[in-house]
Amino acid sequence: MKKNFVLDTNVLLHDFKCLDHFQENDVYIPMVVLEELDHFKKGNDQINYNARQFARELDEVADDMLSTEGASLGDGRGRLFVLTHNSFPQELADAFIERTPDHYIIGATVELAKAHPDTKTILVSKDINVRIKARALGVLAEDYITDKVTNIDVFDSEQPVFDDVAPELIDQIYASNAGVDIDEFAFKSDVEPNECFVLKSNRASALARYNPFDGVVNRVEKTRAFGIEPRNAEQTFALDVLLDDRIKLVAVTGRAGTGKTLLALAAALQQNENYKQVLLARPIVAMSNKDLGALPGDAQEKVAPYMQPLFDNLNVIKSVFSYQGKEVRQLEEMQKNNQLVIEALAFIRGRSLSDTYFIVDEAQNLTPHEIKTIITRAGENTKIVFTGDVHQIDSPYLDMQSNGLVYMIDRMKGQDIFAHVNLIKGERSELSEIASQLL
């Protein structure tokens, strides 16, 4: 049956094309949402871009919006209305002390439901608290699920293990640098391009990866990268795909302390001669109640606290070598010549990246559209690596199923130039591993 959907501001800021995804149902935007949208239109962040883009989308159908008939959203689709009265019915006045924009949006939904008793009216919001408040008042509310990923089990599982492999095949993998044809294995239909796994027979085992470029299964060898040596099978898999320049897009996920960022940086530095620049970036997510405006200094000084974890990983790599060694001098020279750059992701948007090994840390705090924007900046000979912990999301409007990192992994799965490795075992310290599991 046809439904009425009332949109919260955060839905428009999350996906400026959201009006395309409600099929034959009618969409309502409270006036307070447009007022809130106006506050976000100035700035260079993705959220500001989305606010401006949604305003343009709205402008295309604005002529008919104020009529009682609403504006058509296209053939076979519903209509768009603006709720011009900021309603605050008595049941809201009894429930809420303050008259906030969130409460006015809930009020608009209440009034719309009363006006259309025969049509299901639903508030759509990315804000969990708004949905809880709405439901407490008997208002139907749901998340914006268009870009939600349903299968997230992969982020809690280890790399697959294939038992009962013929011993002769494992012998061939060890003997041949060219690998063994994928058709020789019974599990051909169960593996994705560049998927890593463990092969076991009754007398031997091997770490392996399906190489889609040659159609073979290759043995994955333990390889050191710029002084960093993998400590377990998962890290060995991660370094293998990070060092393969044919794989242009890599996602490395895992909880804190599993070595995601360190391995990505070590692999980038190992291959620095193949790229003009090694670039590390992370999104800025305000800590506690402090945003950038509350921090002292110029732009670089303001973002320095947020970039410190990246510098910490660089210092770990430096500590592997002698303080006066050539490797440390090489790193310092690369930083001085802007061949190795660490900066906030906001400073990188809008650039075209060519001949670059680009690492984006804390990618779980990015929206699907932000991830797409970053990847589409890739020029010739550019490799992009996203690292993140999908269990540790700092954005209030993203969760394990809707963040950009999970969305990208789900959509890119099966592509020859993409690889994903999930790290399970923590290697930072025994204390860090126990805390990650128990706390």
Side-chain angles (χ1 to χ4, degrees):
M1 293 178 62
K2 189 173 182 178
K3 305 180 185 70
N4 293 331
F5 287 102
V6 180
L7 305 190
D8 194 354
T9 315
N10 47 61
V11 174
L12 319 183
L13 296 175
H14 176 80
D15 179 9
F16 65 83
K17 300 288 288 184
C18 62
L19 296 179
D20 296 337
H21 303 302
F22 289 92
Q23 301 174 343
E24 76 281 2
N25 304 295
D26 290 340
V27 177
Y28 291 79
I29 301 177
M31 185 62 76
V32 66
V33 167
L34 298 181
E35 290 180 354
E36 282 199 299
L37 198 69
D38 201 45
H39 298 317
F40 289 96
K41 67 182 182 182
K42 294 181 180 179
N44 298 317
D45 289 340
Q46 186 66 45
I47 197 171
N48 308 120
Y49 171 81
N50 288 355
R52 293 190 293 268
Q53 285 298 108
F54 182 80
R56 295 186 182 100
E57 296 277 327
L58 209 56
D59 188 51
E60 293 183 7
V61 293
D63 290 344
D64 301 321
M65 255 193 314
L66 297 182
S67 73
T68 56
E69 302 296 326
S72 173
L73 291 173
D75 293 339
R77 292 164 57 191
R79 304 187 74 81
L80 174 66
F81 300 84
V82 171
L83 299 172
T84 55
H85 299 288
N86 289 327
S87 303
F88 206 82
Q90 186 59 43
E91 50 263 58
L92 268 73
D94 294 338
F96 300 129
I97 298 173
E98 297 181 89
R99 295 196 172 202
T100 66
D102 286 347
H103 298 162
Y104 275 112
I105 293 169
I106 296 173
T109 310
V110 170
E111 292 294 291
L112 183 64
K114 290 178 181 178
H116 300 272
D118 297 328
T119 305
K120 187 178 287 187
T121 299
I122 303 169
L123 172 60
V124 183
S125 176
K126 300 293 295 177
D127 190 326
I128 296 174
N129 284 342
V130 168
R131 299 201 300 268
I132 293 173
K133 290 177 181 179
R135 289 167 187 158
L137 292 170
V139 176
L140 295 175
E142 62 183 43
D143 194 359
Y144 179 69
I145 61 173
T146 297
D147 51 15
K148 277 200 174 244
V149 175
T150 55
N151 180 23
I152 57 174
D153 294 341
V154 64
F155 301 104
D156 290 311
S157 60
E158 300 179 1
Q159 306 303 133
V161 177
F162 295 105
D163 296 311
D164 301 323
V165 176
E168 298 78 17
L169 289 177
I170 293 184
D171 292 340
Q172 288 181 48
I173 283 181
Y174 275 96
S176 172
N177 291 328
V180 178
D181 196 296
I182 185 67
D183 292 324
E184 298 288 329
F185 297 87
F187 56 74
K188 176 185 176 183
S189 61
D190 297 330
V191 298
E192 300 285 350
N194 297 308
E195 184 173 1
C196 300
F197 40 83
V198 180
L199 301 176
K200 284 188 176 182
S201 70
N202 56 8
R203 68 171 187 238
S205 64
L207 304 182
R209 172 167 66 91
Y210 170 37
N211 171 2
F213 305 101
D214 303 319
V216 299
V217 174
N218 290 121
R219 182 165 76 95
V220 176
E221 300 184 56
K222 195 172 186 178
T223 306
R224 180 186 290 264
F226 214 81
I228 299 300
E229 186 171 334
R231 295 185 177 183
N232 55 50
E234 300 157 1
Q235 291 191 352
T236 303
F237 288 142
L239 268 185
D240 187 60
V241 298
L242 289 166
L243 291 170
D244 190 338
D245 58 9
R246 292 177 297 182
I247 303 175
K248 299 301 183 183
L249 179 63
V250 177
V252 183
T253 56
R255 295 183 185 272
T258 51
K260 307 178 294 294
T261 310
L262 181 63
L263 292 172
L265 177 56
L269 294 174
Q270 181 69 30
Q271 302 174 87
N272 73 84
E273 293 183 356
N274 299 336
Y275 301 92
K276 290 182 179 179
Q277 188 178 60
V278 174
L279 185 58
L280 287 86
R282 53 164 29 197
I284 295 174
V285 179
M287 296 174 290
S288 185
N289 61 344
K290 293 185 178 180
D291 58 18
L292 289 183
L295 297 173
D298 57 22
Q300 292 295 336
E301 291 172 326
K302 283 177 181 288
V303 301
Y306 299 92
M307 299 302 106
Q308 190 56 48
L310 298 180
F311 286 104
D312 291 342
N313 280 281
L314 183 60
N315 290 333
V316 168
I317 292 176
K318 287 182 178 180
S319 69
V320 175
F321 305 104
S322 167
Y323 180 71
Q324 298 295 332
K326 65 176 183 179
E327 292 87 358
V328 174
R329 291 199 302 272
Q330 179 186 354
L331 290 177
E332 292 174 348
E333 191 68 23
M334 287 177 66
Q335 286 182 274
K336 186 183 300 182
N337 296 332
N338 282 333
Q339 292 175 286
L340 173 59
V341 177
I342 298 176
E343 62 184 18
L345 190 59
F347 296 161
I348 294 166
R349 288 198 183 93
R351 291 168 51 181
S352 180
L353 303 171
S354 299
D355 291 308
T356 302
Y357 198 112
F358 186 20
I359 301 169
V360 181
D361 194 29
E362 301 290 347
Q364 78 277 1
N365 288 320
L366 297 172
T367 67
H369 188 77
E370 287 174 315
I371 290 278
K372 178 181 178 180
T373 300
I374 293 167
I375 296 175
T376 53
R377 295 292 175 189
E380 288 296 321
N381 192 36
T382 287
K383 180 166 184 164
I384 302 180
V385 178
F386 291 98
T387 67
D389 178 3
V390 299
H391 298 89
Q392 189 174 338
I393 296 171
D394 301 310
S395 172
Y397 303 128
L398 298 176
D399 57 30
M400 271 193 69
Q401 293 177 276
S402 64
N403 69 84
L405 179 59
V406 169
Y407 179 80
M408 180 269 292
I409 292 169
D410 183 69
R411 291 302 180 95
M412 296 299 294
K413 183 171 58 177
Q415 299 298 315
D416 289 352
I417 60 172
F418 171 71
H420 169 226
V421 177
N422 188 51
L423 305 180
I424 298 292
K425 184 175 175 53
E427 295 290 353
R428 184 174 290 167
S429 68
E430 182 181 2
L431 173 60
S432 174
E433 173 68 358
I434 292 174
S436 179
Q437 293 178 1
L438 300 181
L439 300 181

